[in-house]
C-alpha cells in the first residue's frame, strides 16, 4: 500500500511524499530542534523520512 504524506524536512517542507508501507519498519513521533513535532517513518533499508502527519492520521489513511 502507498501512503501519501507531507514532507517535514527543512528545505522540503510541504512537498508531497509517497511511501510504500511494505518498506517501512516503524513510525515514531519526534520533536525537531526548533520544537516542531513530526512523525518519522523508518524504513527497512535504514532510510528515514520526517512527515507532518500524526501517527493517528497515518494509521487512519493506512486503514482506509
Amino acid at each position: 500500500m502507498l501512503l501519501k504524506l507531507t514532507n517535514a524536512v527543512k528545505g522540503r517542507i510541504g512537498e508531497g511524499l509517497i511511501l510504500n508501507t511494505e518498506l517501512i519498519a516503524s513510525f515514531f513521533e519526534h520533536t525537531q530542534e526548533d520544537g516542531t513535532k513530526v512523525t518519522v517513518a523508518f524504513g527497512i533499508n535504514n532510510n528515514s523520512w520526517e512527515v507532518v502527519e500524526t501517527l493517528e492520521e497515518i494509521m487512519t489513511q493506512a486503514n482506509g
Side-chain angles (χ1 to χ4, degrees), residues 8-10 13 30-38 50:
V9 174
K10 188 182 264 186
I13 294 172
H30 173 71
T31 303
Q32 296 175 328
E33 291 178 12
D34 66 359
T36 303
K37 294 186 182 212
V38 298
E50 292 182 353

Side-chain angles (χ1 to χ4, degrees), residues 1 3 21 57-64:
M1 164 188 276
L3 296 174
T21 58
E57 291 169 327
I58 293 169
M59 294 307 296
T60 298
Q61 187 180 152
N63 293 323

Side-chain angles (χ1 to χ4, degrees), residues 1 7-8 18 24 28 31 35 37 53 60:
M1 164 188 276
N7 209 320
I18 304 293
I24 302 298
F28 60 92
T31 303
K37 294 186 182 212
E53 288 79 8
T60 298

Side-chain angles (χ1 to χ4, degrees), residues 35-53:
T36 303
K37 294 186 182 212
V38 298
T39 302
V40 178
F42 187 76
I44 59 174
N45 55 1
N46 294 326
N47 288 335
S48 64
W49 301 267
E50 292 182 353
V51 299
V52 300
E53 288 79 8

